[in-house]
Amino acid sequence: MYRYIIKRLFLLIPVIIGVSFVVFFIMDIAPGDPAYMIASEEASIEEIEQIRHDLGLDRNLFLRYTSYLGGLLKGDLGVSYISKRDVFKTYMTRFPATLKLAFFSMIIAMIISIPLGIMSAVNHNTWKDSSSMVVALLGLSMPNFWLGLLLIIVFSLKLGLLPSGGDTSFFSIILPAITLGTGYTAHMTRTARSAMLDVIRQDYLRTARAKGVSEKKVVNKHALKNALIPIITVFGIQFSKVLGGAVLTETIFAWPGIGRLIVDSINQRDIPMVTGSIIMTTIFASVVIMMVDIVYAFVDPRIKAQYIKGGLK
Amino acid sequence: MKRSSLIKPVALLACIAGFSIMFAGCSDKKADETEVMKTGYKKEIVIANSTDITNLDPQGSNTAVNKRIFSLTHETLFRADAQSNISLGMLKDYSAVSDREYEMTLNEGILFSSGVECKASDVKFTFDRAFESSFTSKSVALVKSVTVVDEYTVNITLKEPSQEFMMTLTDETLSILSEAAFAENTAEASSIGTGPYVLEKWVPGDYISVVKNDKYWGQKPFTEKITFRLIGEGSSRVIALSTGEVDICLDPPPVELSYISDDEDLSLIQMSGSRMTYFAFNMKKDIMNNQLVRQAIAHAVDKDNLIIGALEGRGTAHNTTLNVGLLGYNDNIYPYDYNLEKAKSLLTQAGYPNGFDMILTVTGNERNTVAQILQAQLKLIGINISINSMESAAQKAMLNEGGHQAVIYSWSNANRTDYTARNLFYSGSGSNRMFFADPELDKLIDRALIEPNVEKRKQLYVDFQNFTLDKLSMIPLYTDILTVGANAKLKGVKYHQGAKHDFRYMYIEE
């Protein structure tokens, strides 16, 4: 398993190089010049040219990219054009908030979606199934900004129970996590339902029932375990997505996450900040996906056997 | 997997969530109680910003949001109040050696937040550095030399006389910096100033906090700590004010103002701003360089309806080419009344009886709405506007390269007339979005700058406005109204037309 992890980590290197090149290239062809964003409104053409020269923007894309790559190999993500601060440090000041939001929103999504999906599958084509799907559909239909504002109005403004925004206390995470988690609930409920439906009709469960095993045990012990793989997959994908930022939720709740950092940096043409943030997000997202792959092995012995068979002991 | 292994963690998390919600109210109350200081002033005042602070270098930015921080952490040689009255800032004394040479003496004992005393060499260092930044190079363009006379005295010599030089020295971009901090390569060297507050922490995109500077030489502030929180979403900003999470809400959205005015615990401050929004024509483009066409457009713009539609009435029609409050500002000389018949007739004279197509470049929601209303208004005289809505970076590049035909843009300055006239209209100026160039106007601007008699200078600026309104390379549209929502107990804030509010001596009595 360790060899598998190391191999996966090594595979990150070409991914990072590819991602950094694509981001660099896109930022280069995007309309707008970082020098105009750095300079004052009153700046003369000479001053703009001086800024371009100082930043190396007057060199061609290839030279700039190789220079950036050189820094990257030394672990240097550069300095922000706008704030003049170290990109890595800036990213890491924002990452804990994003990680917290990702973690709690996923917890909320799981708390709601897994029981709902199981109930729906077990009671297939009954009113319980329909009700669960309506709840899932509601989660999917409610736009983040609307639900977020609604929660703020009720829990902050009217009841005065929770902070309306910012990452100012432990309780600040509750409303953003509910807002974001609700959106993911729908997808995860449907995944849990269809995974359970696939499993629940299989012969080995019929055998278990015939042997007199209680329905509760059949579902929770035998069916759910086999239905977990697609649920974990979706969880991993959603978690990685949130690590890249949840701009709407972050904006409504003034949550200091990565999403707003990247969007603001794109708007300001802050190339080092954008590239560095996306590289860091790629690394974290890849680690999450890798962890999901590892979890597969623990959930399903067949997958573990495949890893071992492939020499990845 | 055992059943219990799934149920237990889920149950535990549910409990945590439940308890979190239950105890949330209790925790907030406790936090509030600890905020009350023994002195009777609230320890911390939180301000909700609508836009982010981008830079801690006074010479690296000139936006109002950044200047509010610089005015807390730094000081300037002279200081201007909201009415543009100038007084001594860090200076003990100054004298004019000639019409272009000044000797300025600093107060002794002024300490930077690092503990180092501010001396004449720091003033020189600040000016030397200012020549290199695009944010300050225009302000010091007339400075020929800065020489250190003695420990606390500098001699500043100008290339040409300037009647606006003292006012220029009040600008936060020329806040005095610590040479020692830069020499020692101190972290955040540019944030080290001599102001009443000192930087505590800055998390870009989240908040910035400043705390009382114990070494401050002047009157000590009342509030221990000031935090600026970025809450970009307007409704969230107002809600945070209503719940008491913030004490000041800057730029509340117009639709939310009634929530502030209806709440007896809050106060709504409204004042005329100094930001002028204008419709600029690129004089290098065909059709736009036809004066009759520009006049026709001016007669077809209904500013009052524009303000109602785009700003929900929260603005005033702007009828001249200088910002409100500047020397010589005169809004009674605008010759273009709303007259569609006259507009059509001018278009016919210009050779466009059936109108023409044009592209109007904009960025941001407000200007986009303005463009849509202008589109509808100019349609009445046959001009078909296509709106080119761009993001800021792309638009700046286009404007600098002169790729636009017309643009909706803004300019804000509340106390420097020459700076405004020169930057907006002088030939070759970087912020001359019209690419307007007229040697006669350049001479007029230069004359006004050196004219020592205030009344004569005022008249020269009236002449400037008449000239630019006649040429009409831009149509001034409106000045917005500045709004601030605040805790009703808040006192001591000096609100500024240019949104550079002075928060140094604000307090909330407990």
Side-chain angles (χ1 to χ4, degrees):
Chain A
M1 188 61 80
Y2 293 121
R3 279 178 58 197
Y4 174 72
I5 293 169
I6 290 164
K7 191 180 172 187
R8 287 290 296 263
L9 289 175
F10 268 110
L11 279 174
L12 262 178
I13 295 169
V15 171
I16 289 169
I17 292 172
V19 165
S20 63
F21 180 75
V22 169
V23 176
F24 230 84
F25 181 71
I26 290 174
M27 290 300 284
D28 191 68
I29 59 169
D33 188 327
Y36 291 127
M37 298 306 287
I38 297 163
S40 71
E41 281 285 331
E42 303 89 314
S44 62
I45 306 238
E46 294 75 30
E47 283 169 324
I48 299 281
E49 285 308 316
Q50 185 60 47
I51 292 170
R52 299 191 86 248
H53 178 73
D54 293 346
L55 298 175
L57 293 169
D58 49 359
R59 293 183 299 163
N60 70 41
L61 177 69
F62 180 74
L63 284 175
R64 276 186 287 132
Y65 179 67
T66 46
S67 161
Y68 182 80
L69 211 56
L72 196 63
L73 289 173
K74 287 183 270 178
D76 179 13
L77 290 178
V79 173
S80 160
Y81 286 164
I82 305 297
S83 69
K84 313 290 180 205
R85 291 191 145 200
D86 184 83
V87 168
F88 179 75
K89 282 182 186 164
T90 305
Y91 184 90
M92 291 314 288
T93 56
R94 305 283 283 263
F95 184 70
T98 290
L99 188 65
K100 197 154 73 170
L101 182 61
F103 179 76
F104 282 100
S105 60
M106 284 299 123
I107 292 292
I108 285 169
M110 277 170 65
I111 289 172
I112 301 170
S113 63
I114 294 177
L116 216 57
I118 295 169
M119 186 180 80
S120 191
V122 171
N123 302 286
H124 190 217
N125 286 337
T126 65
W127 68 270
K128 285 182 182 173
D129 182 21
S130 309
S131 307
S132 303
M133 287 305 101
V134 168
V135 171
L137 192 65
L138 270 177
L140 194 68
S141 315
M142 281 189 290
N144 270 3
F145 62 87
W146 179 82
L147 178 64
L149 280 176
L150 194 75
L151 290 173
I152 291 175
I153 290 167
V154 174
F155 290 99
S156 302
L157 193 61
K158 299 292 178 196
L159 301 176
L161 285 172
L162 294 166
S164 68
D167 187 12
T168 51
S169 72
F170 173 74
F171 305 102
S172 303
I173 187 65
I174 295 172
L175 295 184
I178 292 172
T179 305
L180 196 59
T182 307
Y184 294 126
T185 300
H187 190 192
M188 286 175 71
T189 304
R190 289 203 69 91
T191 306
R193 178 179 177 268
S194 61
M196 282 295 284
L197 279 176
D198 282 346
V199 172
I200 220 156
R201 294 183 187 123
Q202 291 199 6
D203 291 344
Y204 75 94
L205 289 185
R206 197 176 297 124
T207 310
R209 284 190 188 102
K211 282 167 71 182
V213 179
S214 71
E215 187 62 22
K216 221 175 199 177
K217 206 169 180 181
V218 166
V219 171
N220 290 337
K221 191 178 176 186
H222 299 287
L224 180 59
K225 199 172 173 184
N226 283 299
L228 271 178
I229 294 290
I231 297 171
I232 291 169
T233 307
V234 171
F235 171 84
I237 292 167
Q238 304 284 28
F239 195 88
S240 308
K241 266 172 73 180
V242 188
L243 286 184
V247 181
L248 275 179
T249 307
E250 287 175 14
T251 305
I252 295 160
F253 291 99
W255 190 258
I258 296 299
R260 265 172 51 207
L261 175 71
I262 294 176
V263 170
D264 291 346
S265 303
I266 290 171
N267 288 335
Q268 292 166 330
R269 295 293 183 273
D270 192 348
I271 296 172
M273 199 70 237
V274 176
T275 315
S277 300
I278 292 176
I279 286 173
M280 291 301 294
T281 302
T282 304
I283 293 171
F284 286 121
S286 302
V287 169
V288 169
I289 299 292
M290 186 182 75
M291 283 165 72
V292 167
D293 285 349
I294 293 166
V295 170
Y296 285 163
F298 289 99
V299 172
D300 192 335
R302 289 168 300 183
I303 295 175
K304 195 173 184 179
Q306 279 174 17
Y307 286 165
I308 294 166
K309 197 178 167 186
L312 300 172
K313 209 169 185 176
Chain B
M1 189 177 282
K2 286 183 180 177
R3 182 184 158 199
S4 60
S5 64
L6 269 179
I7 294 171
K8 278 181 184 172
V10 170
L12 183 67
L13 286 165
C15 287
I16 291 170
F19 280 114
S20 303
I21 294 167
M22 280 169 63
F23 289 112
C26 306
S27 167
D28 281 353
K29 195 179 170 187
K30 197 175 177 183
D32 282 344
E33 282 166 2
T34 57
E35 282 180 3
V36 183
M37 265 189 78
K38 285 175 188 172
T39 54
Y41 297 119
K42 194 176 178 203
K43 188 180 174 185
E44 182 184 6
I45 291 182
V46 183
I47 301 168
N49 270 340
S50 58
T51 50
D52 198 11
I53 285 147
T54 51
N55 201 309
L56 289 184
D57 184 354
Q59 296 184 358
S61 161
N62 59 5
T63 59
V65 65
N66 287 355
K67 283 184 173 182
R68 285 180 213 130
I69 301 291
F70 304 146
S71 69
L72 293 170
T73 55
H74 291 74
E75 285 181 301
T76 46
L77 298 177
F78 289 90
R79 177 166 278 281
D81 65 15
Q83 287 73 43
S84 297
N85 299 311
I86 302 176
S87 58
L88 295 176
M90 298 170 75
L91 294 179
K92 183 167 74 179
D93 194 20
Y94 83 101
S95 59
V97 179
S98 70
D99 63 353
R100 63 191 72 188
E101 193 179 346
Y102 301 90
E103 210 152 86
M104 301 181 181
T105 307
L106 287 166
N107 275 296
E108 291 176 27
I110 299 179
L111 297 180
F112 285 106
S113 54
S114 57
V116 176
E117 191 180 8
C118 178
K119 295 193 176 165
S121 56
D122 294 303
V123 178
K124 180 174 166 45
F125 169 77
T126 302
F127 275 83
D128 289 347
R129 192 171 179 266
F131 289 114
E132 306 299 322
S133 165
S134 69
F135 291 94
T136 43
S137 60
K138 302 289 177 298
S139 294
V140 295
L142 277 181
V143 176
K144 187 178 170 189
S145 66
V146 179
T147 48
V148 175
V149 176
D150 62 40
E151 219 177 358
Y152 299 100
T153 310
V154 286
N155 177 296
I156 300 178
T157 306
L158 306 180
K159 293 172 193 163
E160 303 288 340
S162 166
Q163 299 307 318
E164 206 168 82
F165 186 58
M166 299 299 165
M167 189 58 86
T168 300
L169 295 183
T170 68
D171 196 74
E172 289 80 358
T173 54
L174 290 177
S175 297
I176 302 304
L177 302 170
S178 166
E179 185 180 16
F182 281 89
E184 290 159 15
N185 213 8
T186 312
E188 311 282 13
S190 59
S191 70
I192 294 173
T194 63
Y197 284 90
V198 55
L199 174 74
E200 184 189 53
K201 194 172 182 190
W202 179 36
V203 181
D206 190 7
Y207 72 93
I208 184 167
S209 57
V210 292
V211 291
K212 226 186 220 182
N213 179 6
D214 294 331
K215 303 179 186 82
Y216 185 54
W217 63 288
Q219 186 195 337
K220 299 277 188 289
F222 307 107
T223 305
E224 278 290 310
K225 181 175 175 179
I226 301 173
T227 300
F228 291 83
R229 263 181 63 191
L230 172 65
I231 307 181
E233 220 287 311
S235 302
S236 304
R237 219 160 44 242
V238 173
I239 289 171
L241 177 70
S242 302
T243 58
E245 289 168 74
V246 302
D247 302 293
I248 300 173
C249 165
L250 299 171
D251 311 318
V255 289
E256 312 268 357
L257 295 183
S258 59
Y259 294 107
I260 300 173
S261 56
D262 293 348
D263 190 333
E264 58 184 22
D265 294 328
L266 303 176
S267 60
L268 181 65
I269 297 100
Q270 300 183 77
M271 62 189 292
S272 173
S274 66
R275 191 182 66 144
M276 161 180 73
T277 298
Y278 57 90
F279 187 168
F281 305 102
N282 186 345
M283 304 289 274
K284 286 185 173 173
K285 297 282 179 184
D286 282 344
I287 305 183
M288 294 297 103
N289 59 16
N290 187 326
Q291 190 168 2
L292 290 171
V293 166
R294 300 195 300 273
Q295 286 175 349
I297 292 174
H299 280 294
V301 173
D302 182 350
K303 294 181 188 176
D304 293 330
N305 273 330
L306 180 82
I307 290 163
I308 292 167
L311 308 174
E312 304 204 6
R314 307 200 53 74
T316 48
H318 196 91
N319 290 321
T320 188
T321 48
L322 287 178
N323 297 90
V324 177
L326 292 179
L327 184 74
Y329 169 82
N330 190 334
D331 63 348
N332 294 319
I333 51 176
Y334 189 69
Y336 311 103
D337 59 328
Y338 178 62
N339 188 332
L340 287 180
E341 288 313 310
K342 205 169 178 179
K344 283 177 188 167
S345 150
L346 283 164
L347 264 190
T348 307
Q349 279 180 55
Y352 301 99
N354 300 317
F356 56 85
D357 297 339
M358 67 179 282
I359 300 167
L360 180 58
T361 302
V362 289
T363 184
N365 290 339
E366 181 186 305
R367 291 180 198 168
N368 205 14
T369 314
V370 169
Q372 286 171 25
I373 294 167
L374 287 174
Q375 187 181 44
Q377 290 183 351
L378 295 188
K379 181 87 182 163
L380 298 177
I381 59 167
I383 298 175
N384 299 310
I385 289 182
S386 300
I387 299 169
N388 181 20
S389 187
M390 304 178 88
E391 57 166 335
S392 179
Q395 193 201 47
K396 269 194 175 183
M398 182 193 235
L399 296 184
N400 279 280
E401 284 150 18
H404 60 294
Q405 198 171 15
V407 63
I408 305 291
Y409 222 64
S410 297
W411 178 265
S412 182
N413 199 293
N415 53 17
R416 292 161 72 190
T417 315
D418 175 73
Y419 191 80
T420 298
R422 195 170 291 275
N423 277 301
L424 285 181
F425 290 98
Y426 207 89
S427 305
S429 159
S431 41
N432 181 342
R433 304 298 179 199
M434 298 80 72
F435 291 91
F436 181 76
D438 192 316
E440 201 184 327
L441 184 72
D442 295 349
K443 275 182 201 164
L444 184 60
I445 295 171
D446 289 339
R447 266 178 62 204
L449 181 65
I450 60 170
E451 174 55 54
N453 184 297
V454 176
E455 286 310 312
K456 283 184 184 170
R457 199 145 66 92
K458 215 181 255 184
Q459 184 53 50
L460 285 171
Y461 284 127
V462 173
D463 296 345
F464 160 85
Q465 291 165 84
N466 276 317
F467 189 100
T468 47
L469 285 174
D470 177 52
K471 297 291 181 189
L472 206 66
S473 58
M474 67 144 83
I475 299 172
L477 295 174
Y478 60 85
T479 294
D480 47 0
I481 290 174
L482 271 185
T483 48
V484 177
N487 182 328
K489 291 179 184 171
L490 180 79
K491 288 175 186 165
V493 181
K494 289 176 184 166
Y495 294 101
H496 186 267
Q497 273 191 319
K500 295 188 297 177
H501 311 305
D502 182 355
F503 295 121
R504 289 176 304 155
Y505 296 108
M506 66 175 172
Y507 60 91
I508 293 173
E509 280 176 337
E510 293 281 3

